[in-house]
Amino acid sequence: MTRLPHSLAQIALLRKDPGILPASFLLSALLALGYASANAVLAWVDQAERILVRTAVDLGLTLAFFWMLLVLTRRSHRLPQTLSAVCGTYLLLAPAMAVLILMRGPAKTNYAVWLLTNAGSTVITIWYLLIVGYVLKCALDTGLVTGFAIAVTWALASLAIAQSLFPVAT
């Protein structure tokens, strides 16, 4: 029972590649459901609007991006492990992200909390992109810089699409 979280932690620490995960579409689907649930909880904690639609769009973009990338590079056989690694490591980082979102309120009146919140958010974002880059490096048999560049492209494209579909009221 603890083997999957341990394997995901090893991937998150860039010690093992996603090949240690089972090549199971069922596991990928369960972890994608967990990814979507974590996104919904984070959106709820952040008091976002239209949480279910946002979550569905994010999940759809994520699944479509990784499927298309692996199909185009003729590595579609690695899709279950890649999705499991991307979604599973996100689940490991989600509690820390929730804490940082909750700290935004006190950060408005305390500079030290503001600094910790912003630095923590930046570190977790960069770390997750590095994890996704590492997973892509392994899946595509390429370098870490290339994998990281693809991960950043995915994140920026997803962010741009989300902002166009769900503009922030000012």
Side-chain angles (χ1 to χ4, degrees):
M1 188 62 152
T2 61
R3 207 166 124 194
L4 179 62
H6 177 71
S7 296
L8 291 171
Q10 292 298 306
I11 294 168
L13 294 172
L14 312 181
R15 292 182 182 157
K16 302 278 184 176
D17 65 47
I20 64 172
L21 298 174
S24 164
F25 279 105
L26 177 61
L27 177 62
S28 296
L30 291 173
L31 289 172
L33 224 66
Y35 172 89
S37 299
N39 263 346
V41 168
L42 290 174
W44 177 74
V45 169
D46 198 24
Q47 299 176 347
E49 295 177 7
R50 298 171 37 185
I51 293 173
L52 292 178
V53 176
R54 285 175 184 264
T55 302
V57 167
D58 181 63
L59 182 61
L61 289 172
T62 300
L63 296 177
F65 177 83
F66 287 103
W67 173 79
M68 190 173 12
L69 178 66
L70 292 173
V71 165
L72 289 174
T73 57
R74 297 176 192 209
R75 289 181 173 67
S76 59
H77 61 283
R78 295 183 179 169
L79 183 63
Q81 292 166 312
T82 301
L83 286 177
S84 293
V86 168
C87 295
T89 55
Y90 184 84
L91 286 171
L92 295 179
L93 297 175
M97 291 185 286
V99 168
L100 290 169
I101 291 170
L102 289 171
M103 289 174 59
R104 285 184 188 164
K108 292 177 183 175
T109 58
N110 186 319
Y111 179 74
V113 175
W114 177 86
L115 188 62
L116 177 66
T117 302
N118 286 322
S121 297
T122 302
V123 167
I124 288 177
T125 300
I126 292 171
W127 188 254
Y128 183 63
L129 289 173
L130 186 61
I131 293 167
V132 174
Y134 177 73
V135 168
L136 290 173
K137 166 202 166 298
C138 298
L140 301 174
D141 296 322
T142 188
L144 182 58
V145 173
T146 303
F148 185 73
I150 295 169
V152 169
T153 302
W154 161 67
L156 291 175
S158 295
L159 183 64
I161 292 169
Q163 285 181 342
S164 70
L165 293 175
F166 311 105
V168 178
T170 53

